[in-house]
Amino acid sequence: MAEIAIIGGTGLTSLHNLQIVRREVVHTPYGEPSGPLVYGSISNKQVVFLPRHGPGHTIPPHKINYRANIYALQEVGVKQVIAVAAVGGIRADLTPGRLMIPDQMIDYTWGRSTTFFEDSLKQVVHIDFTEPYCNDLRLVLLKAGKQLGLNIAAQGVYAATQGPRLETTAEINRLERDGCDIVGMTGMPEAALARELGLCYASCSVVANMAAGRGDEALTMEQIERNLSVGMEDVRRLLEATIPLL
Ligand code: HPA
């Protein structure tokens, strides 16, 4: 049984350092997850990997079945989730390739299924989400990053936007005024659903581009993917160093 899950995002639909043992198709009461769960080991420890956008990177952020993904992971015995996510950098020092372990978030998404607690309830449920990420797991990621000498941003606010389009400059200015440091499209409701099921969830965010209006590069998928390939190498090393510490 694997107690550690890695949810891969754009730029991480497969993990070279994962020694794959088997795949498992899991059906849930909330529908189908993004793909089969991929079991294997990293640094000799069992992990389960789930590419958030599907094995062929075909599911856009607003169409991901976040409930099925999180439910499936919990169903197979996962306790800790490292969620890798590509983001745009709003804060000037969050340049392409840099990693951040956010400690806060603001949710700007809409129209997504955001809770497991809505039907056939005995009582209304409100989870505590004061600290949206699991601090224990965040600290382990940061410790591993330090061991590797990576220049990881140790805290910051993640803005979850609806996508799939990128933002306007005015929208990014607004996010900055709101106190957001990075912007991505998949952080919510994933983190809240993990909390609802009692999973320890942390995000490893990788800056793919400067957010709209913040850099001189045109925001194209090709450019984003090129920038990501640098950051994802650090993510792979970070995962290898983090997993033995869990
Ligand atoms: N905005 C939102 N999501 C993103 C971005 C961005 O600039 N880059 C990668 N994911």
Side-chain angles (χ1 to χ4, degrees):
M1 197 174 81
E3 295 198 349
I4 304 166
I6 298 160
I7 302 182
T10 299
L12 199 75
T13 41
S14 67
L15 268 173
H16 312 321
N17 49 352
L18 180 72
Q19 306 293 316
I20 298 175
V21 181
R22 69 188 169 94
R23 288 184 167 77
E24 183 182 10
V25 175
V26 180
H27 304 286
T28 84
Y30 302 95
E32 305 306 304
S34 298
L37 303 184
V38 183
Y39 288 84
S41 62
I42 291 182
S43 308
N44 292 320
K45 216 162 173 171
Q46 286 235 348
V47 300
V48 50
F49 178 70
L50 177 61
R52 187 188 282 118
H53 298 278
H57 201 261
T58 52
I59 312 172
H62 64 297
K63 293 278 191 186
I64 292 169
N65 191 339
Y66 295 96
R67 290 198 300 185
N69 285 353
I70 295 296
Y71 190 94
L73 293 178
Q74 200 234 14
E75 186 76 356
V76 301
V78 164
K79 306 271 186 269
Q80 290 165 309
V81 180
I82 301 172
V84 181
V87 296
I90 300 175
R91 215 171 73 197
D93 64 311
L94 297 169
T95 48
R98 191 153 183 220
L99 273 49
M100 179 198 265
I101 311 298
D103 64 331
Q104 278 296 332
M105 64 157 65
I106 300 180
D107 185 7
Y108 300 90
T109 67
W110 48 270
R112 303 182 181 190
S113 295
T114 56
T115 181
F116 292 108
F117 300 125
E118 59 185 0
D119 294 318
S120 315
L121 298 177
K122 290 201 188 79
Q123 201 165 18
V124 170
V125 177
H126 301 289
I127 52 155
D128 179 3
F129 208 46
T130 313
E131 301 287 342
Y133 299 106
C134 174
N135 210 35
D136 292 347
L137 185 50
R138 288 187 59 255
L139 294 177
V140 179
L141 284 159
L142 290 169
K143 184 173 166 187
K146 205 163 186 182
Q147 280 174 6
L148 293 171
L150 295 176
N151 178 23
I152 299 180
Q155 60 191 80
V157 181
Y158 176 110
T161 54
Q162 178 69 0
R165 67 166 177 84
L166 294 161
E167 297 72 32
T168 66
T169 302
E171 284 169 337
I172 293 298
N173 291 344
R174 170 192 173 205
L175 297 185
E176 187 167 46
R177 288 195 299 274
D178 282 357
C180 300
D181 300 299
I182 53 175
V183 53
M185 300 173 191
T186 56
M188 281 295 278
E190 198 173 81
L193 292 166
R195 178 64 55 80
E196 283 192 346
L197 295 190
L199 303 180
C200 170
Y201 173 104
S203 163
C204 173
S205 296
V206 189
V207 179
N209 55 280
M210 292 315 291
R214 292 294 182 273
D216 348 291
E217 281 181 349
L219 295 178
T220 62
M221 261 323 268
E222 292 71 37
Q223 191 59 47
I224 287 177
E225 274 161 15
R226 249 197 316 276
N227 289 338
L228 269 181
S229 62
V230 178
M232 285 304 167
E233 240 358 273
D234 284 346
V235 170
R236 288 192 178 93
R237 291 172 62 217
L238 183 64
L239 292 173
E240 270 175 17
T242 300
I243 283 161
L245 302 178
L246 294 175

